[in-house]
Amino acid sequence: MALSALLFDQVSPHIFILLVAVSGLTSFFTASFGAGGGVMLLGVMAQVLPPQLIIPLHGVAQLGSNAGRAAMSWRHIDWKLISTFLPGAMLGAFIGSFVLVSLPPAIMYLTIALFILYLCWGPKLPKMVLGNWGTAFAGAITTFITLFAGATGPLVAAFVKQIHADRFRTVATFAMAMSLQHILKVGVFKVAGFPLTAWLPLLVCMIISGAIGTWVGLRVLKRMPDRYFHRIFNIVLTLMALRLVWQSFALL
């Protein structure tokens, strides 16, 4: 009885089980195909949780999922890219902590979607944009936006894809970049007074489920040729972008 009361203190048992199961499935999806799981999880959480809880709780759950994926594939991480992404991300989180307000989501979603579509199907970005300053800027702007929209994973993934062709390099570096971004996001919400401790039982179970999904997904990734990975990767990101376009028009 005590364990049941602890686990289901914040949400009902069926919502608890749903979120834990979806966390595992979406982590599997991201590990296998490179991106998309975080947006899927966000969509499910938006259906069953109050609006003010979605972004902070999603940030913690995704921190666990991405950190697990980064740890399991650490040999493939591009640490040079991460070293330039992190300062920008810290700046974006710092600025965002002062303006935790409700920005127009329709414009934000549409902008993110257009960037994703360009990065997937447009001409390759110039080397200058993909260099140190461009990577730092990407870290700053995506971290700032994720405090309000929580949907920048596909944008970061599309940016990393412009730099790396190897599927393991793409997945591992993306996972590390998102881990750092979510650490900063969780820190901002913690400082702002969000009661994360009360949600720890659900979050711990979602993180464990996500780690299992990641482990299985990386096994699938090993069997997938690079050409198939990039084709599926682009399709997944495009679907995520089209979903954001649909959301933006629904909110206008």
Side-chain angles (χ1 to χ4, degrees):
M1 179 66 71
L3 179 60
S4 176
L6 176 66
L7 292 177
F8 308 132
D9 182 43
Q10 300 295 331
V11 295
S12 64
H14 70 276
I15 291 179
F16 186 100
I17 294 170
L18 171 68
L19 291 175
V20 171
V22 171
S23 178
L25 290 172
T26 54
S27 293
F28 165 81
F29 191 90
T30 301
S32 299
F33 305 123
V39 176
M40 293 177 188
L41 179 61
L42 186 69
V44 173
M45 295 177 77
Q47 303 303 313
V48 298
L49 293 174
Q52 69 273 18
L53 301 177
I54 298 168
I55 302 299
L57 296 182
H58 178 264
V60 178
Q62 284 297 283
L63 169 58
S65 176
N66 283 283
R69 195 162 67 255
M72 293 180 200
S73 56
W74 66 270
R75 293 182 181 84
H76 302 281
I77 295 173
D78 180 352
W79 291 106
K80 181 181 177 183
L81 185 150
I82 294 300
S83 68
T84 52
F85 182 90
L86 178 57
M90 293 174 68
L91 177 62
F94 177 75
I95 297 172
S97 67
F98 291 101
V99 288
L100 273 179
V101 294
S102 181
L103 298 179
I107 302 301
M108 194 177 300
Y109 288 152
L110 188 59
T111 303
I112 293 171
L114 292 176
F115 269 115
I116 292 170
L117 291 172
Y118 175 83
L119 290 170
C120 285
W121 305 108
K124 192 173 179 64
L125 292 173
K127 287 186 178 180
M128 181 180 68
V129 177
L130 298 174
N132 292 342
W133 286 107
T135 302
F137 178 77
I141 194 67
T142 57
T143 303
F144 178 85
I145 293 173
T146 197
L147 293 170
F148 314 104
T152 57
L155 181 54
V156 177
F159 181 82
V160 173
K161 182 189 80 71
Q162 287 269 323
I163 300 173
H164 292 297
D166 178 75
R167 64 190 188 280
F168 287 103
R169 197 81 157 165
T170 300
V171 169
T173 305
F174 169 58
M176 191 64 207
M178 293 307 295
S179 297
L180 296 172
Q181 192 172 89
H182 285 302
I183 287 174
L184 294 168
K185 178 163 67 173
V186 170
V188 168
F189 279 106
K190 187 67 176 174
V191 171
F194 184 84
L196 287 172
T197 305
W199 293 87
L200 278 180
L202 171 63
L203 292 170
V204 168
C205 291
M206 289 179 71
I207 289 170
I208 293 172
S209 174
I212 295 171
T214 294
W215 185 84
V216 177
L218 288 175
R219 297 299 176 278
V220 173
L221 182 66
K222 285 183 178 179
R223 299 173 178 270
M224 191 183 306
D226 276 333
R227 65 183 185 276
Y228 292 138
F229 170 79
H230 288 292
R231 189 176 304 164
I232 295 172
F233 191 64
N234 278 351
I235 291 172
V236 169
L237 289 176
T238 299
L239 291 174
M240 296 299 103
L242 293 177
R243 178 182 178 273
L244 290 172
V245 171
W246 178 81
Q247 281 183 289
S248 68
F249 282 111
L251 291 169
L252 288 175

